[in-house]
Amino acid sequence: MLSPKDTALVGWPTYLGALGAFNAYEPTYDRLDPKGNRSAADFATKAAEAGGRVKFAYLSVDFANPTGETLDRAAREAVIDLADQADIAIIEDAAYQTLRFDGEPIPPILALEIARKGSIEACRTLYCGSFSKSLAPGLRVGWICAASEIISRLVLMKQAADLHSSTVNQIVTHKVASTIFAPHVAKLRATYMARRDHLLAALAREMPEGVEWTKTEGGMFVWVTLPAGMDGADLLAQSLKTERVAFVPGRAFYADGSNGNTLRLSFSCANEAQIDEGMKRLGRLIRTNR
Ligand SMILES: Cc1ncc(COP(=O)(O)O)c(C=O)c1O
């Protein structure tokens, strides 16, 4: 979709793997804020100034990587309005959709668009699903739901890129998905939910004043904002030497490399004792840096 200098609309912050994939096409980025009131014309003017056109909006919709935030229904509807006015595609990244712990599920953007337009064939959304967060990332199996014209083109591009995904992996995924998928995901949700609750409690206990964090309803992440002037990358370098606590510095999730005073914590792999100890150490380190 992207030629050099074209504009991709992305969250600020957004998933760094998406930025990495898009960067190969040398785009310009502009900030997509579904609750903001920038018009399609405003985005188009900025894109023209950068030497191209707006091509798509990319969104991590449920329990986003990195913030853990979920786009509410009104925001999803607003993205469709904007995309219709701007005549651009919507890339809906639903990688964490199955991992909801509490709150009410919100229909995917693609479902809302189909409800408006009557058929998937009239839709501009590419819904991207993945088994990486629900079964195993190493299987490399995911799926896209979109209008058949788009799927046909993607099939050609995939053939050109890697011929096809591993057939054995697809057979295994199909077998698991059609037999033990639901109880497996239920177990994941229960485990991750307990870890999320534990992490939120540990943050409240251990973090000094001036540190803020998000409270996600699912997924794997909590997004932490440090006091202004503190830098997540510096903190990581110190932490790896003295405290041995790893996290992702937040700057990497911003298309313009801004907002260094942020970091992403993941609660998927650490058990409850590790979370307690890790937050105690991180809190201590942040306090000494203030
Ligand atoms: C928002 C988001 N999308 C996609 C992916 C990668 O998914 P896959 O393994 O299916 O390529 C990740 C993995 O971290 C992610 O966080």
Side-chain angles (χ1 to χ4, degrees):
M1 292 180 189
L2 291 168
S3 299
K5 298 187 182 161
D6 276 341
T7 291
L9 306 184
V10 297
W12 227 262
T14 193
Y15 171 47
L16 67 83
L19 291 176
F22 305 151
N23 282 345
Y25 300 91
E26 300 176 30
T28 301
Y29 293 104
D30 202 350
R31 179 181 186 156
L32 178 66
D33 176 8
K35 292 200 169 143
N37 48 14
R38 281 183 63 195
S39 66
D42 182 25
F43 284 115
T45 306
K46 268 200 86 180
E49 282 166 14
R53 290 192 294 133
V54 185
K55 290 294 181 62
F56 62 75
Y58 163 82
L59 303 100
S60 171
V61 280
D62 299 289
F63 332 119
N65 185 355
T67 61
E69 285 166 354
T70 296
L71 221 57
D72 65 22
R73 192 179 179 129
R76 294 178 194 218
E77 297 280 8
V79 171
I80 303 173
D81 291 339
L82 176 73
D84 280 345
Q85 285 152 18
D87 192 20
I88 57 171
I90 299 169
I91 302 179
E92 177 175 25
D93 184 339
Y96 296 93
Q97 195 185 20
T98 47
L99 296 179
R100 176 175 281 284
F101 316 146
D102 35 38
E104 285 302 309
I106 302 168
I109 295 176
L110 179 60
L112 297 172
E113 198 186 4
I114 292 171
R116 278 191 197 194
K117 298 180 181 171
S119 159
I120 194 169
E121 299 303 337
C123 290
R124 56 179 70 252
T125 303
L126 285 74
Y127 172 102
C128 307
S130 174
F131 286 106
S132 288
K133 314 299 170 185
S134 52
L135 280 187
L139 287 169
R140 310 308 304 141
V141 180
W143 67 96
I144 297 182
C145 303
S148 40
E149 188 196 341
I150 295 172
I151 298 294
S152 306
R153 292 195 196 191
L154 290 174
V155 167
L156 282 180
M157 289 168 64
K158 175 123 176 89
Q159 281 172 359
D162 67 358
L163 294 182
H164 59 83
S165 298
S166 154
T167 321
V168 175
N169 290 3
Q170 292 185 68
I171 293 169
V172 169
T173 306
H174 180 258
K175 186 82 185 161
V176 173
S178 53
T179 50
I180 57 155
F181 189 68
H184 174 68
V185 173
K187 192 166 147 192
L188 279 186
R189 281 198 209 110
T191 307
Y192 289 166
M193 181 175 168
R195 289 179 179 179
R196 179 219 40 197
D197 291 344
H198 216 78
L199 177 57
L200 292 177
L203 282 162
R205 221 175 31 244
E206 306 291 353
M207 289 299 133
E209 218 172 294
V211 178
E212 291 171 4
W213 55 91
T214 54
K215 295 177 181 61
T216 186
E217 293 185 331
M220 301 180 174
F221 309 114
V222 168
W223 181 243
V224 177
T225 305
L226 302 164
M230 210 177 270
D231 188 273
D234 290 347
L235 204 67
L236 177 65
Q238 290 178 45
S239 177
L240 293 181
K241 272 194 208 133
T242 59
E243 304 292 352
R244 310 293 299 150
V245 179
F247 49 83
V248 185
R251 206 186 285 281
F253 297 95
Y254 289 91
D256 62 354
S258 62
N259 293 285
N261 66 321
T262 51
L263 58 90
R264 189 197 75 181
L265 297 174
S266 168
F267 51 81
S268 60
C269 287
N271 65 32
E272 294 172 3
Q274 289 169 323
I275 289 173
D276 279 346
E277 182 60 27
M279 289 310 100
K280 194 181 198 173
R281 294 182 191 191
L282 189 60
R284 183 165 68 203
L285 185 65
I286 293 172
R287 231 173 262 117
T288 60
N289 270 270
R290 264 152 54 99

